[in-house]
Amino acid sequence: MQDVKICDTTLRDGEQTAGVVFANEEKLRIAKLLDKVGVDQIEAGVPVMGGDERESIEKIVDAELGASIMGWNRAVVSDVKASLDCGVDAVAVSVSTSDIHIDKKLNESREWVLNHMTQATEYAKSKGLYVSVNAEDSTRSDFEFLVEFAQRAKEAGADRLRYCDTVGIMTPLETHEAIKNLKKEVNIAIEMHTHNDFGLAAANALTGAKGGAKYIGTTVNGLGERAGNAPLEEIVMALKHLEDLDLGFNTSDFLELSEYVARASAQDLPVSKAIVGSNTFAHESGIHADGVLKDSETYEAFKPQEVGAERQLVIGKHSGKKAILAKFEKEYGIELTDEEAEVLLPKVRKMAVELKRALFDKELVSLYEELELERTEKTEEVV
Ligand code: MN
């Protein structure tokens, strides 16, 4: 796993998410942010759709980004012509290779699939384009046929094969085996395109790369058809920290990118979303908060700054005295005594249980002010 490259398809598969539409300006901004974080290739859309889709792809091409810009095509020469007209430097040429797709969706034969793929690929190569041949539904395809398809793609000049787990049915170990076996049969670069129907998209993409795939297809926040694709931020951070493979990404822009895509797609980031969710660096329970205050490595796999996030001490039902002391000192500039924190703690817990949530800053400060007021009144009574 030396030179893994990322092909991000937020603007194509990501926009195919049910209910998601990006405005052209948003597509351009997302492409610029993707380029800034460091993706190698951006699948920008489907040129043959024409209209706004075509216009946005042209704008992205005109932005002269560092990343390669890819257009998505059916295995049809007229689709590839539409991509050429947009000025992209790379094309995906996509056709199904599983019998269920060939029989039921296309109502065609394996021979038809091979012929169409070959024609479209040879045409694209004759125009100097980089070509990824996509074997849609690779994972449910007959292995012998998939090998033949990959071989024919290579002979037609394809630069790589996109191995698609279109319905997201693979497991990590199976994926590793499948890619290793395919690599043994055909010497062509492979891209992992994995779907998340069983929550394994990122795991399958990573094991595919371990099996010899050179490209990983991703989307920001894991957007994409149904349960989505492998999330860009999870893949890059897992490669960096778990596989010791630093792709040189500007990871501190991840939160900005994720939040922007969440807004543009109107798909809220789940609080527990790996890498960029708001709970990823939030600590409430007394033992965890105390540990993190002493050394963040006790309960964090990496520092929040690395992805542009901040650590948060959440004060609620599970908080302990140390967290309260730290919260008041660091965030409100109030140095509580141990005794004050001990008096506050049961009040905090009671309020959190009543509200069924953690406390806002305002609520915490007002609990403290009430405490001060009670004290003053007691003092006055004595006087
Ligand atoms: Mn897909």
PDB file of all heavy atoms in Angstrom, residues 284 289 293 313-316 319-332 334-337 340-349 359 364 367-368:
ATOM      1  N   GLU A 284     -17.839  13.703  28.302  1.00  0.00           N
ATOM      2  CA  GLU A 284     -18.700  14.057  29.428  1.00  0.00           C
ATOM      3  C   GLU A 284     -18.405  13.219  30.667  1.00  0.00           C
ATOM      4  O   GLU A 284     -18.232  13.750  31.745  1.00  0.00           O
ATOM      5  CB  GLU A 284     -20.183  13.912  29.054  1.00  0.00           C
ATOM      6  CG  GLU A 284     -21.098  14.232  30.249  1.00  0.00           C
ATOM      7  CD  GLU A 284     -22.581  14.063  29.968  1.00  0.00           C
ATOM      8  OE1 GLU A 284     -23.021  14.403  28.857  1.00  0.00           O
ATOM      9  OE2 GLU A 284     -23.292  13.594  30.879  1.00  0.00           O
ATOM     10  N   ALA A 289     -13.345  12.468  31.013  1.00  0.00           N
ATOM     11  CA  ALA A 289     -12.966  13.881  31.015  1.00  0.00           C
ATOM     12  C   ALA A 289     -11.693  14.084  31.836  1.00  0.00           C
ATOM     13  O   ALA A 289     -10.773  14.789  31.417  1.00  0.00           O
ATOM     14  CB  ALA A 289     -14.106  14.730  31.577  1.00  0.00           C
ATOM     15  N   LEU A 293      -8.171  15.460  30.296  1.00  0.00           N
ATOM     16  CA  LEU A 293      -7.574  16.678  30.850  1.00  0.00           C
ATOM     17  C   LEU A 293      -6.110  16.434  31.228  1.00  0.00           C
ATOM     18  O   LEU A 293      -5.273  17.321  31.118  1.00  0.00           O
ATOM     19  CB  LEU A 293      -8.353  17.151  32.084  1.00  0.00           C
ATOM     20  CG  LEU A 293      -9.696  17.835  31.776  1.00  0.00           C
ATOM     21  CD1 LEU A 293     -10.534  17.957  33.039  1.00  0.00           C
ATOM     22  CD2 LEU A 293      -9.465  19.208  31.149  1.00  0.00           C
ATOM     23  N   LEU A 313     -15.457  19.863  26.430  1.00  0.00           N
ATOM     24  CA  LEU A 313     -15.833  19.228  27.695  1.00  0.00           C
ATOM     25  C   LEU A 313     -17.322  19.475  27.873  1.00  0.00           C
ATOM     26  O   LEU A 313     -17.766  20.611  27.968  1.00  0.00           O
ATOM     27  CB  LEU A 313     -15.077  19.866  28.857  1.00  0.00           C
ATOM     28  CG  LEU A 313     -13.693  19.321  29.168  1.00  0.00           C
ATOM     29  CD1 LEU A 313     -13.128  20.059  30.365  1.00  0.00           C
ATOM     30  CD2 LEU A 313     -13.734  17.819  29.424  1.00  0.00           C
ATOM     31  N   VAL A 314     -18.080  18.412  27.872  1.00  0.00           N
ATOM     32  CA  VAL A 314     -19.532  18.535  27.995  1.00  0.00           C
ATOM     33  C   VAL A 314     -19.890  18.288  29.452  1.00  0.00           C
ATOM     34  O   VAL A 314     -19.473  17.290  30.048  1.00  0.00           O
ATOM     35  CB  VAL A 314     -20.213  17.493  27.085  1.00  0.00           C
ATOM     36  CG1 VAL A 314     -21.715  17.493  27.314  1.00  0.00           C
ATOM     37  CG2 VAL A 314     -19.889  17.784  25.625  1.00  0.00           C
ATOM     38  N   ILE A 315     -20.632  19.227  30.045  1.00  0.00           N
ATOM     39  CA  ILE A 315     -20.991  19.068  31.450  1.00  0.00           C
ATOM     40  C   ILE A 315     -22.443  18.607  31.548  1.00  0.00           C
ATOM     41  O   ILE A 315     -23.356  19.281  31.079  1.00  0.00           O
ATOM     42  CB  ILE A 315     -20.788  20.401  32.224  1.00  0.00           C
ATOM     43  CG1 ILE A 315     -19.338  20.882  32.078  1.00  0.00           C
ATOM     44  CG2 ILE A 315     -21.166  20.221  33.689  1.00  0.00           C
ATOM     45  CD1 ILE A 315     -18.285  19.989  32.698  1.00  0.00           C
ATOM     46  N   GLY A 316     -22.617  17.442  32.146  1.00  0.00           N
ATOM     47  CA  GLY A 316     -23.960  16.861  32.255  1.00  0.00           C
ATOM     48  C   GLY A 316     -24.036  15.861  33.377  1.00  0.00           C
ATOM     49  O   GLY A 316     -23.242  15.903  34.320  1.00  0.00           O
ATOM     50  N   SER A 319     -20.787  14.039  34.481  1.00  0.00           N
ATOM     51  CA  SER A 319     -19.572  14.821  34.758  1.00  0.00           C
ATOM     52  C   SER A 319     -19.049  14.599  36.174  1.00  0.00           C
ATOM     53  O   SER A 319     -19.806  14.259  37.082  1.00  0.00           O
ATOM     54  CB  SER A 319     -19.859  16.317  34.574  1.00  0.00           C
ATOM     55  OG  SER A 319     -20.126  16.571  33.228  1.00  0.00           O
ATOM     56  N   GLY A 320     -17.772  14.834  36.313  1.00  0.00           N
ATOM     57  CA  GLY A 320     -17.153  14.772  37.632  1.00  0.00           C
ATOM     58  C   GLY A 320     -16.600  16.140  38.026  1.00  0.00           C
ATOM     59  O   GLY A 320     -16.642  17.093  37.236  1.00  0.00           O
ATOM     60  N   LYS A 321     -16.050  16.206  39.244  1.00  0.00           N
ATOM     61  CA  LYS A 321     -15.577  17.469  39.807  1.00  0.00           C
ATOM     62  C   LYS A 321     -14.455  18.087  38.966  1.00  0.00           C
ATOM     63  O   LYS A 321     -14.437  19.286  38.702  1.00  0.00           O
ATOM     64  CB  LYS A 321     -15.067  17.211  41.238  1.00  0.00           C
ATOM     65  CG  LYS A 321     -14.789  18.481  42.012  1.00  0.00           C
ATOM     66  CD  LYS A 321     -14.398  18.166  43.436  1.00  0.00           C
ATOM     67  CE  LYS A 321     -12.909  17.873  43.523  1.00  0.00           C
ATOM     68  NZ  LYS A 321     -12.462  17.611  44.907  1.00  0.00           N
ATOM     69  N   LYS A 322     -13.528  17.245  38.502  1.00  0.00           N
ATOM     70  CA  LYS A 322     -12.374  17.743  37.734  1.00  0.00           C
ATOM     71  C   LYS A 322     -12.812  18.471  36.469  1.00  0.00           C
ATOM     72  O   LYS A 322     -12.248  19.499  36.098  1.00  0.00           O
ATOM     73  CB  LYS A 322     -11.457  16.577  37.348  1.00  0.00           C
ATOM     74  CG  LYS A 322     -10.804  15.903  38.535  1.00  0.00           C
ATOM     75  CD  LYS A 322      -9.372  16.378  38.669  1.00  0.00           C
ATOM     76  CE  LYS A 322      -8.697  15.859  39.927  1.00  0.00           C
ATOM     77  NZ  LYS A 322      -8.756  14.386  40.060  1.00  0.00           N
ATOM     78  N   ALA A 323     -13.823  17.907  35.815  1.00  0.00           N
ATOM     79  CA  ALA A 323     -14.300  18.514  34.575  1.00  0.00           C
ATOM     80  C   ALA A 323     -14.944  19.868  34.864  1.00  0.00           C
ATOM     81  O   ALA A 323     -14.750  20.830  34.121  1.00  0.00           O
ATOM     82  CB  ALA A 323     -15.283  17.590  33.870  1.00  0.00           C
ATOM     83  N   ILE A 324     -15.683  19.947  35.950  1.00  0.00           N
ATOM     84  CA  ILE A 324     -16.327  21.218  36.300  1.00  0.00           C
ATOM     85  C   ILE A 324     -15.278  22.281  36.620  1.00  0.00           C
ATOM     86  O   ILE A 324     -15.351  23.412  36.141  1.00  0.00           O
ATOM     87  CB  ILE A 324     -17.323  21.015  37.475  1.00  0.00           C
ATOM     88  CG1 ILE A 324     -18.528  20.209  36.938  1.00  0.00           C
ATOM     89  CG2 ILE A 324     -17.769  22.343  38.064  1.00  0.00           C
ATOM     90  CD1 ILE A 324     -19.646  20.024  37.909  1.00  0.00           C
ATOM     91  N   LEU A 325     -14.293  21.883  37.395  1.00  0.00           N
ATOM     92  CA  LEU A 325     -13.205  22.834  37.714  1.00  0.00           C
ATOM     93  C   LEU A 325     -12.546  23.328  36.428  1.00  0.00           C
ATOM     94  O   LEU A 325     -12.326  24.527  36.237  1.00  0.00           O
ATOM     95  CB  LEU A 325     -12.151  22.155  38.601  1.00  0.00           C
ATOM     96  CG  LEU A 325     -12.538  21.948  40.074  1.00  0.00           C
ATOM     97  CD1 LEU A 325     -11.562  20.985  40.750  1.00  0.00           C
ATOM     98  CD2 LEU A 325     -12.593  23.278  40.823  1.00  0.00           C
ATOM     99  N   ALA A 326     -12.243  22.392  35.516  1.00  0.00           N
ATOM    100  CA  ALA A 326     -11.547  22.758  34.276  1.00  0.00           C
ATOM    101  C   ALA A 326     -12.426  23.619  33.375  1.00  0.00           C
ATOM    102  O   ALA A 326     -11.974  24.589  32.772  1.00  0.00           O
ATOM    103  CB  ALA A 326     -11.112  21.496  33.530  1.00  0.00           C
ATOM    104  N   LYS A 327     -13.703  23.247  33.282  1.00  0.00           N
ATOM    105  CA  LYS A 327     -14.629  23.991  32.420  1.00  0.00           C
ATOM    106  C   LYS A 327     -14.702  25.452  32.874  1.00  0.00           C
ATOM    107  O   LYS A 327     -14.594  26.369  32.065  1.00  0.00           O
ATOM    108  CB  LYS A 327     -16.017  23.348  32.514  1.00  0.00           C
ATOM    109  CG  LYS A 327     -17.055  23.976  31.616  1.00  0.00           C
ATOM    110  CD  LYS A 327     -17.056  23.317  30.260  1.00  0.00           C
ATOM    111  CE  LYS A 327     -18.163  23.839  29.375  1.00  0.00           C
ATOM    112  NZ  LYS A 327     -18.030  23.303  27.994  1.00  0.00           N
ATOM    113  N   PHE A 328     -14.889  25.671  34.180  1.00  0.00           N
ATOM    114  CA  PHE A 328     -15.024  27.044  34.691  1.00  0.00           C
ATOM    115  C   PHE A 328     -13.728  27.820  34.504  1.00  0.00           C
ATOM    116  O   PHE A 328     -13.750  28.984  34.100  1.00  0.00           O
ATOM    117  CB  PHE A 328     -15.456  27.029  36.170  1.00  0.00           C
ATOM    118  CG  PHE A 328     -16.948  26.987  36.318  1.00  0.00           C
ATOM    119  CD1 PHE A 328     -17.630  25.786  36.203  1.00  0.00           C
ATOM    120  CD2 PHE A 328     -17.684  28.149  36.547  1.00  0.00           C
ATOM    121  CE1 PHE A 328     -19.019  25.740  36.304  1.00  0.00           C
ATOM    122  CE2 PHE A 328     -19.072  28.112  36.653  1.00  0.00           C
ATOM    123  CZ  PHE A 328     -19.750  26.900  36.533  1.00  0.00           C
ATOM    124  N   GLU A 329     -12.625  27.166  34.745  1.00  0.00           N
ATOM    125  CA  GLU A 329     -11.357  27.893  34.645  1.00  0.00           C
ATOM    126  C   GLU A 329     -11.021  28.218  33.189  1.00  0.00           C
ATOM    127  O   GLU A 329     -10.748  29.358  32.834  1.00  0.00           O
ATOM    128  CB  GLU A 329     -10.226  27.071  35.281  1.00  0.00           C
ATOM    129  CG  GLU A 329      -8.955  27.910  35.441  1.00  0.00           C
ATOM    130  CD  GLU A 329      -7.719  27.051  35.665  1.00  0.00           C
ATOM    131  OE1 GLU A 329      -7.854  25.952  36.227  1.00  0.00           O
ATOM    132  OE2 GLU A 329      -6.627  27.496  35.246  1.00  0.00           O
ATOM    133  N   LYS A 330     -11.079  27.199  32.326  1.00  0.00           N
ATOM    134  CA  LYS A 330     -10.620  27.383  30.948  1.00  0.00           C
ATOM    135  C   LYS A 330     -11.604  28.156  30.082  1.00  0.00           C
ATOM    136  O   LYS A 330     -11.212  28.893  29.186  1.00  0.00           O
ATOM    137  CB  LYS A 330     -10.337  26.016  30.300  1.00  0.00           C
ATOM    138  CG  LYS A 330      -9.082  25.398  30.856  1.00  0.00           C
ATOM    139  CD  LYS A 330      -8.777  24.064  30.194  1.00  0.00           C
ATOM    140  CE  LYS A 330      -7.543  23.447  30.865  1.00  0.00           C
ATOM    141  NZ  LYS A 330      -7.420  22.031  30.611  1.00  0.00           N
ATOM    142  N   GLU A 331     -12.890  27.942  30.302  1.00  0.00           N
ATOM    143  CA  GLU A 331     -13.854  28.542  29.381  1.00  0.00           C
ATOM    144  C   GLU A 331     -14.539  29.783  29.930  1.00  0.00           C
ATOM    145  O   GLU A 331     -14.964  30.633  29.167  1.00  0.00           O
ATOM    146  CB  GLU A 331     -14.879  27.494  28.931  1.00  0.00           C
ATOM    147  CG  GLU A 331     -14.167  26.392  28.135  1.00  0.00           C
ATOM    148  CD  GLU A 331     -15.130  25.353  27.564  1.00  0.00           C
ATOM    149  OE1 GLU A 331     -16.296  25.693  27.303  1.00  0.00           O
ATOM    150  OE2 GLU A 331     -14.692  24.196  27.395  1.00  0.00           O
ATOM    151  N   TYR A 332     -14.682  29.883  31.284  1.00  0.00           N
ATOM    152  CA  TYR A 332     -15.365  31.057  31.829  1.00  0.00           C
ATOM    153  C   TYR A 332     -14.417  31.944  32.634  1.00  0.00           C
ATOM    154  O   TYR A 332     -14.814  32.997  33.124  1.00  0.00           O
ATOM    155  CB  TYR A 332     -16.540  30.644  32.744  1.00  0.00           C
ATOM    156  CG  TYR A 332     -17.430  29.554  32.180  1.00  0.00           C
ATOM    157  CD1 TYR A 332     -17.966  28.574  33.011  1.00  0.00           C
ATOM    158  CD2 TYR A 332     -17.740  29.510  30.812  1.00  0.00           C
ATOM    159  CE1 TYR A 332     -18.781  27.567  32.498  1.00  0.00           C
ATOM    160  CE2 TYR A 332     -18.553  28.505  30.297  1.00  0.00           C
ATOM    161  CZ  TYR A 332     -19.061  27.530  31.146  1.00  0.00           C
ATOM    162  OH  TYR A 332     -19.860  26.541  30.650  1.00  0.00           O
ATOM    163  N   ILE A 334     -13.292  31.418  35.559  1.00  0.00           N
ATOM    164  CA  ILE A 334     -13.670  31.449  36.982  1.00  0.00           C
ATOM    165  C   ILE A 334     -12.946  30.319  37.705  1.00  0.00           C
ATOM    166  O   ILE A 334     -13.069  29.146  37.325  1.00  0.00           O
ATOM    167  CB  ILE A 334     -15.201  31.245  37.146  1.00  0.00           C
ATOM    168  CG1 ILE A 334     -15.964  32.373  36.440  1.00  0.00           C
ATOM    169  CG2 ILE A 334     -15.588  31.182  38.623  1.00  0.00           C
ATOM    170  CD1 ILE A 334     -17.466  32.142  36.343  1.00  0.00           C
ATOM    171  N   GLU A 335     -12.173  30.665  38.717  1.00  0.00           N
ATOM    172  CA  GLU A 335     -11.478  29.620  39.462  1.00  0.00           C
ATOM    173  C   GLU A 335     -12.307  29.177  40.653  1.00  0.00           C
ATOM    174  O   GLU A 335     -12.378  29.867  41.661  1.00  0.00           O
ATOM    175  CB  GLU A 335     -10.106  30.125  39.915  1.00  0.00           C
ATOM    176  CG  GLU A 335      -9.031  29.777  38.904  1.00  0.00           C
ATOM    177  CD  GLU A 335      -7.631  30.035  39.426  1.00  0.00           C
ATOM    178  OE1 GLU A 335      -7.266  29.388  40.442  1.00  0.00           O
ATOM    179  OE2 GLU A 335      -6.938  30.878  38.820  1.00  0.00           O
ATOM    180  N   LEU A 336     -12.937  28.025  40.508  1.00  0.00           N
ATOM    181  CA  LEU A 336     -13.749  27.502  41.602  1.00  0.00           C
ATOM    182  C   LEU A 336     -12.847  26.854  42.654  1.00  0.00           C
ATOM    183  O   LEU A 336     -11.779  26.348  42.316  1.00  0.00           O
ATOM    184  CB  LEU A 336     -14.703  26.421  41.084  1.00  0.00           C
ATOM    185  CG  LEU A 336     -15.748  26.789  40.043  1.00  0.00           C
ATOM    186  CD1 LEU A 336     -16.556  25.540  39.684  1.00  0.00           C
ATOM    187  CD2 LEU A 336     -16.679  27.864  40.577  1.00  0.00           C
ATOM    188  N   THR A 337     -13.311  26.877  43.900  1.00  0.00           N
ATOM    189  CA  THR A 337     -12.618  26.073  44.910  1.00  0.00           C
ATOM    190  C   THR A 337     -13.161  24.644  44.805  1.00  0.00           C
ATOM    191  O   THR A 337     -14.239  24.433  44.238  1.00  0.00           O
ATOM    192  CB  THR A 337     -12.900  26.600  46.332  1.00  0.00           C
ATOM    193  OG1 THR A 337     -14.314  26.480  46.566  1.00  0.00           O
ATOM    194  CG2 THR A 337     -12.479  28.057  46.478  1.00  0.00           C
ATOM    195  N   GLU A 340     -16.619  24.529  46.204  1.00  0.00           N
ATOM    196  CA  GLU A 340     -17.661  25.065  45.318  1.00  0.00           C
ATOM    197  C   GLU A 340     -18.056  24.035  44.257  1.00  0.00           C
ATOM    198  O   GLU A 340     -19.233  23.843  43.956  1.00  0.00           O
ATOM    199  CB  GLU A 340     -17.176  26.356  44.631  1.00  0.00           C
ATOM    200  CG  GLU A 340     -17.192  27.581  45.534  1.00  0.00           C
ATOM    201  CD  GLU A 340     -16.507  28.776  44.894  1.00  0.00           C
ATOM    202  OE1 GLU A 340     -15.498  28.589  44.175  1.00  0.00           O
ATOM    203  OE2 GLU A 340     -16.996  29.899  45.101  1.00  0.00           O
ATOM    204  N   ALA A 341     -17.037  23.388  43.685  1.00  0.00           N
ATOM    205  CA  ALA A 341     -17.311  22.379  42.653  1.00  0.00           C
ATOM    206  C   ALA A 341     -18.129  21.229  43.235  1.00  0.00           C
ATOM    207  O   ALA A 341     -19.042  20.708  42.596  1.00  0.00           O
ATOM    208  CB  ALA A 341     -16.004  21.863  42.070  1.00  0.00           C
ATOM    209  N   GLU A 342     -17.811  20.861  44.482  1.00  0.00           N
ATOM    210  CA  GLU A 342     -18.554  19.769  45.123  1.00  0.00           C
ATOM    211  C   GLU A 342     -20.013  20.137  45.353  1.00  0.00           C
ATOM    212  O   GLU A 342     -20.898  19.284  45.269  1.00  0.00           O
ATOM    213  CB  GLU A 342     -17.886  19.383  46.450  1.00  0.00           C
ATOM    214  CG  GLU A 342     -16.750  18.399  46.239  1.00  0.00           C
ATOM    215  CD  GLU A 342     -15.742  18.378  47.400  1.00  0.00           C
ATOM    216  OE1 GLU A 342     -16.105  18.815  48.518  1.00  0.00           O
ATOM    217  OE2 GLU A 342     -14.599  17.950  47.153  1.00  0.00           O
ATOM    218  N   VAL A 343     -20.253  21.416  45.670  1.00  0.00           N
ATOM    219  CA  VAL A 343     -21.643  21.850  45.874  1.00  0.00           C
ATOM    220  C   VAL A 343     -22.373  21.920  44.529  1.00  0.00           C
ATOM    221  O   VAL A 343     -23.550  21.588  44.422  1.00  0.00           O
ATOM    222  CB  VAL A 343     -21.683  23.228  46.596  1.00  0.00           C
ATOM    223  CG1 VAL A 343     -23.116  23.713  46.780  1.00  0.00           C
ATOM    224  CG2 VAL A 343     -20.981  23.153  47.941  1.00  0.00           C
ATOM    225  N   LEU A 344     -21.647  22.348  43.500  1.00  0.00           N
ATOM    226  CA  LEU A 344     -22.268  22.485  42.176  1.00  0.00           C
ATOM    227  C   LEU A 344     -22.648  21.138  41.561  1.00  0.00           C
ATOM    228  O   LEU A 344     -23.671  21.015  40.891  1.00  0.00           O
ATOM    229  CB  LEU A 344     -21.301  23.191  41.228  1.00  0.00           C
ATOM    230  CG  LEU A 344     -21.445  24.704  41.067  1.00  0.00           C
ATOM    231  CD1 LEU A 344     -20.365  25.208  40.116  1.00  0.00           C
ATOM    232  CD2 LEU A 344     -22.826  25.084  40.531  1.00  0.00           C
ATOM    233  N   LEU A 345     -21.798  20.150  41.768  1.00  0.00           N
ATOM    234  CA  LEU A 345     -21.942  18.865  41.080  1.00  0.00           C
ATOM    235  C   LEU A 345     -23.357  18.255  41.188  1.00  0.00           C
ATOM    236  O   LEU A 345     -23.966  17.939  40.156  1.00  0.00           O
ATOM    237  CB  LEU A 345     -20.875  17.887  41.575  1.00  0.00           C
ATOM    238  CG  LEU A 345     -20.651  16.649  40.713  1.00  0.00           C
ATOM    239  CD1 LEU A 345     -20.337  17.009  39.271  1.00  0.00           C
ATOM    240  CD2 LEU A 345     -19.520  15.818  41.301  1.00  0.00           C
ATOM    241  N   PRO A 346     -23.927  18.112  42.392  1.00  0.00           N
ATOM    242  CA  PRO A 346     -25.280  17.525  42.457  1.00  0.00           C
ATOM    243  C   PRO A 346     -26.329  18.402  41.775  1.00  0.00           C
ATOM    244  O   PRO A 346     -27.287  17.884  41.212  1.00  0.00           O
ATOM    245  CB  PRO A 346     -25.553  17.402  43.962  1.00  0.00           C
ATOM    246  CG  PRO A 346     -24.537  18.240  44.643  1.00  0.00           C
ATOM    247  CD  PRO A 346     -23.352  18.342  43.738  1.00  0.00           C
ATOM    248  N   LYS A 347     -26.130  19.721  41.808  1.00  0.00           N
ATOM    249  CA  LYS A 347     -27.080  20.627  41.142  1.00  0.00           C
ATOM    250  C   LYS A 347     -27.025  20.419  39.629  1.00  0.00           C
ATOM    251  O   LYS A 347     -28.046  20.406  38.938  1.00  0.00           O
ATOM    252  CB  LYS A 347     -26.751  22.093  41.466  1.00  0.00           C
ATOM    253  CG  LYS A 347     -26.992  22.488  42.917  1.00  0.00           C
ATOM    254  CD  LYS A 347     -26.597  23.954  43.113  1.00  0.00           C
ATOM    255  CE  LYS A 347     -26.592  24.370  44.573  1.00  0.00           C
ATOM    256  NZ  LYS A 347     -27.963  24.539  45.135  1.00  0.00           N
ATOM    257  N   VAL A 348     -25.796  20.265  39.113  1.00  0.00           N
ATOM    258  CA  VAL A 348     -25.598  20.033  37.677  1.00  0.00           C
ATOM    259  C   VAL A 348     -26.285  18.731  37.280  1.00  0.00           C
ATOM    260  O   VAL A 348     -27.027  18.673  36.291  1.00  0.00           O
ATOM    261  CB  VAL A 348     -24.086  19.969  37.346  1.00  0.00           C
ATOM    262  CG1 VAL A 348     -23.848  19.375  35.963  1.00  0.00           C
ATOM    263  CG2 VAL A 348     -23.462  21.357  37.454  1.00  0.00           C
ATOM    264  N   ARG A 349     -26.059  17.699  38.065  1.00  0.00           N
ATOM    265  CA  ARG A 349     -26.628  16.389  37.722  1.00  0.00           C
ATOM    266  C   ARG A 349     -28.151  16.432  37.738  1.00  0.00           C
ATOM    267  O   ARG A 349     -28.808  15.903  36.847  1.00  0.00           O
ATOM    268  CB  ARG A 349     -26.113  15.323  38.691  1.00  0.00           C
ATOM    269  CG  ARG A 349     -24.665  14.999  38.401  1.00  0.00           C
ATOM    270  CD  ARG A 349     -24.131  13.896  39.298  1.00  0.00           C
ATOM    271  NE  ARG A 349     -22.767  13.567  38.910  1.00  0.00           N
ATOM    272  CZ  ARG A 349     -21.890  12.967  39.696  1.00  0.00           C
ATOM    273  NH1 ARG A 349     -22.229  12.633  40.931  1.00  0.00           N
ATOM    274  NH2 ARG A 349     -20.673  12.698  39.258  1.00  0.00           N
ATOM    275  N   LEU A 359     -25.662  20.397  29.867  1.00  0.00           N
ATOM    276  CA  LEU A 359     -26.038  21.787  30.139  1.00  0.00           C
ATOM    277  C   LEU A 359     -25.351  22.763  29.190  1.00  0.00           C
ATOM    278  O   LEU A 359     -24.225  22.548  28.752  1.00  0.00           O
ATOM    279  CB  LEU A 359     -25.676  22.156  31.585  1.00  0.00           C
ATOM    280  CG  LEU A 359     -26.294  21.280  32.678  1.00  0.00           C
ATOM    281  CD1 LEU A 359     -26.121  21.942  34.046  1.00  0.00           C
ATOM    282  CD2 LEU A 359     -27.777  20.999  32.420  1.00  0.00           C
ATOM    283  N   LEU A 364     -24.943  26.576  33.187  1.00  0.00           N
ATOM    284  CA  LEU A 364     -23.885  26.294  34.163  1.00  0.00           C
ATOM    285  C   LEU A 364     -23.525  27.551  34.942  1.00  0.00           C
ATOM    286  O   LEU A 364     -23.403  27.526  36.172  1.00  0.00           O
ATOM    287  CB  LEU A 364     -22.631  25.817  33.435  1.00  0.00           C
ATOM    288  CG  LEU A 364     -22.448  24.320  33.275  1.00  0.00           C
ATOM    289  CD1 LEU A 364     -21.213  24.063  32.426  1.00  0.00           C
ATOM    290  CD2 LEU A 364     -22.299  23.651  34.634  1.00  0.00           C
ATOM    291  N   LEU A 367     -26.178  28.438  37.400  1.00  0.00           N
ATOM    292  CA  LEU A 367     -26.128  27.605  38.615  1.00  0.00           C
ATOM    293  C   LEU A 367     -25.074  28.158  39.576  1.00  0.00           C
ATOM    294  O   LEU A 367     -25.278  28.212  40.792  1.00  0.00           O
ATOM    295  CB  LEU A 367     -25.780  26.147  38.270  1.00  0.00           C
ATOM    296  CG  LEU A 367     -26.905  25.258  37.757  1.00  0.00           C
ATOM    297  CD1 LEU A 367     -26.376  23.858  37.485  1.00  0.00           C
ATOM    298  CD2 LEU A 367     -28.060  25.180  38.760  1.00  0.00           C
ATOM    299  N   TYR A 368     -23.957  28.580  38.996  1.00  0.00           N
ATOM    300  CA  TYR A 368     -22.871  29.143  39.810  1.00  0.00           C
ATOM    301  C   TYR A 368     -23.321  30.454  40.450  1.00  0.00           C
ATOM    302  O   TYR A 368     -23.067  30.702  41.638  1.00  0.00           O
ATOM    303  CB  TYR A 368     -21.646  29.362  38.925  1.00  0.00           C
ATOM    304  CG  TYR A 368     -20.549  30.153  39.577  1.00  0.00           C
ATOM    305  CD1 TYR A 368     -19.746  29.581  40.566  1.00  0.00           C
ATOM    306  CD2 TYR A 368     -20.310  31.488  39.228  1.00  0.00           C
ATOM    307  CE1 TYR A 368     -18.744  30.310  41.179  1.00  0.00           C
ATOM    308  CE2 TYR A 368     -19.318  32.226  39.836  1.00  0.00           C
ATOM    309  CZ  TYR A 368     -18.530  31.629  40.814  1.00  0.00           C
ATOM    310  OH  TYR A 368     -17.543  32.357  41.423  1.00  0.00           O
TER     311      TYR A 368
END
